[in-house]
């Protein structure tokens, strides 16, 4: 099982690194100059260039990526171009809005779907031959249910749970923008329109990291409920 878990951890790490490169690259090719937007279109070219130097926007692309990625590792997300406050503070304020919204508006319907999947999976497992064999050997029904049926029924449930988490994040972003709610999704949308690159990059990477972490946790849970994975090398 250790080999299986190590492989999943390596894959998750590589995925996170590649995602950071993609996010950084996409932000770089978006039209608009953050310095120009901050100073206004009446600012002179020298003023814009001075601000770009102060913001580090004229540094080589690779160095800028390494500086940003290194900051993420130390939970230093930099300062917002627009609000002139640490990005981590903005994120903390908006999470307070986003989490209750996701739980109330999106999580409850998804919980009903998850319960239905769990019920269907359990019914299917209870009809398997090995369950009937366990019952024929004289094992109590409760022991059969907990030791055999529920463990195998959890596999599709865990799969759906991992998919639902990404849906919850995407749905929260959409709802916040539709109803103008000051959550993380709204923060990202506003940052894009204002070309506040550091905010967009950092928040998107936090969301990506959350999805990868949940899927990694699901993979680890597979190893707990599925004995076949424990002997996989």
């Amino acid at each position: 099982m250790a080999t299986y878990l190590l492989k999943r951890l390596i894959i998750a790490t590589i995925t996170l690194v590649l995602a950071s490169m993609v996010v950084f690259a996409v932000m770089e090719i978006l039209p608009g100059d953050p310095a120009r937007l901050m100073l206004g279109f009446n600012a002179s070219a020298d003023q814009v260039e001075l601000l770009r130097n102060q913001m580090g926007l004229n540094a080589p692309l690779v160095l800028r990526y390494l500086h940003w990625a290194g900051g993420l590792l130390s939970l230093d997300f930099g300062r917002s171009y627009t609000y002139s406050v640490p990005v981590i503070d903005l994120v903390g304020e908006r999470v307070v809005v986003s989490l209750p919204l996701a739980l109330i508006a999106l999580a409850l319907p998804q919980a009903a779907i998850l319960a239905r999947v769990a019920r269907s999976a359990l019914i299917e497992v209870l009809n398997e031959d090995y369950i009937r064999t366990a019952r024929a050997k004289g094992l109590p029904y409760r022991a059969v249910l907990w030791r055999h049926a529920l463990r195998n029924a959890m596999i599709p449930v865990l799969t759906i749970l991992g998919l639902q988490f990404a849906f919850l994040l995407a749905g929260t972003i959409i709802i916040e923008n539709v109803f103008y709610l000051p959550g993380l999704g709204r923060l990202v949308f506003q940052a894009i329109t204002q070309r506040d690159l550091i905010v967009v990059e950092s928040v998107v990477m936090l969301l990506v990291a959350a999805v990868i972490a949940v899927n990694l946790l699901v993979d680890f849970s597979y190893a707990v409920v599925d004995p076949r994975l424990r002997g996989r090398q």
Side-chain angles (χ1 to χ4, degrees), residues 114-132 141 144-145 148-154 156-157:
L114 194 64
R116 185 175 181 85
V117 171
R119 178 180 179 274
S120 299
L122 185 58
I123 291 174
E124 183 178 349
V125 169
L126 288 173
N127 290 323
E128 294 290 341
D129 291 339
Y130 66 88
I131 296 295
R132 287 193 289 269
Y141 179 76
V144 173
L145 181 65
H148 302 285
L150 281 177
R151 294 175 75 91
N152 288 282
M154 282 298 295
V157 173

Side-chain angles (χ1 to χ4, degrees), residues 93-110 165 167-187:
E93 294 172 0
R94 302 304 179 96
V95 165
V96 176
V97 176
S98 295
L99 287 182
L101 172 67
L103 290 176
I104 296 173
L106 299 171
L108 291 180
Q110 292 302 308
F165 183 77
F167 170 82
L168 289 176
L169 289 181
T172 301
I173 291 173
I174 293 173
I175 289 178
E176 287 174 357
N177 283 289
V178 169
F179 295 102
Y180 294 94
L181 299 174
L184 278 179
R186 187 66 183 165
L187 176 63

Side-chain angles (χ1 to χ4, degrees), residues 2-47:
T3 302
Y4 167 79
L5 296 180
L6 181 60
K7 287 181 179 179
R8 302 311 301 175
L9 184 60
I10 292 174
I11 291 173
T13 302
I14 294 174
T15 302
L16 190 61
V17 172
L18 292 177
S20 70
M21 293 180 179
V22 172
V23 169
F24 186 82
V26 170
M27 290 301 102
E28 288 300 314
I29 63 176
L30 287 178
D33 186 345
R36 172 64 68 182
L37 290 177
M38 291 177 65
L39 292 175
F41 292 97
N42 292 325
S44 67
D46 290 339
Q47 291 174 322

Side-chain angles (χ1 to χ4, degrees), residues 67-79 86-89 91 202 205-206 209:
H67 176 74
W68 170 67
L72 293 180
L73 292 176
S74 60
L75 297 181
D76 178 11
F77 301 151
R79 297 182 67 86
V87 176
I88 192 66
D89 292 344
V91 171
S202 299
M205 278 308 303
L206 281 175

